[in-house]
Amino acid sequence: MSTTAYKQEQGSRFSPALCVRCPYQFKEQVKALGGIWNPMRQCWELPYTLEDWQNILLSIPGIQPVAIILEELGAPQAAEEAPAPRVRPMPLKEGITPFNHQKAAYSHAIALFEGVV
């Protein structure tokens, strides 16, 4: 199953809605972002906002949006191309290379909890 996103104007819980079709393995990530399953359309619905779109880009790799989303909310490359600020190296085993969204999330978490730990 390919991972796609499209804009739904009417007939959804949010108006307009960001509809995401993705493999089952990403179910928990979409639910954590506030996604609501629409059994009629067989997709996850989220509010059609820039914040939700950026969160989807960081959570689901390889998402393919339709043209209207790219025009209104921005291209996915913009979120992935931004280099993650270097805080400290991730504690990984040798030979493992993290994905860009993992680097960004790790750096964000370190920045959030810098003085806490």
Side-chain angles (χ1 to χ4, degrees):
M1 171 186 228
S2 64
T3 305
T4 58
Y6 60 94
K7 181 179 182 180
Q8 181 65 43
E9 292 287 346
Q10 298 176 353
S12 63
R13 292 180 177 94
F14 308 103
S15 186
L18 177 63
C19 296
V20 177
R21 289 187 176 169
C22 59
Y24 185 78
Q25 69 190 36
F26 298 112
K27 172 187 147 201
E28 293 303 321
Q29 285 97 318
V30 178
K31 281 176 67 174
L33 296 173
I36 300 172
W37 178 250
N38 184 331
M40 297 298 286
R41 288 200 169 86
Q42 298 288 303
C43 70
W44 291 96
E45 294 179 348
L46 294 104
Y48 191 75
T49 63
L50 179 61
E51 181 182 355
D52 286 315
W53 174 235
Q54 294 294 333
N55 288 334
I56 287 291
L57 290 176
L58 290 173
S59 301
I60 303 174
I63 192 162
Q64 298 296 318
V66 294
I68 190 77
I69 293 177
L70 295 177
E71 292 171 15
E72 294 179 356
L73 299 180
Q77 292 81 13
E80 293 179 19
E81 286 175 7
R86 292 294 290 164
V87 178
R88 58 180 129 164
M90 293 176 71
L92 297 172
K93 295 179 182 177
E94 288 186 38
I96 295 178
T97 305
F99 293 101
N100 286 339
H101 71 278
Q102 292 171 318
K103 292 177 190 176
Y106 177 78
S107 296
H108 183 69
I110 293 298
L112 279 175
F113 300 107
E114 191 170 0
V116 177
V117 179

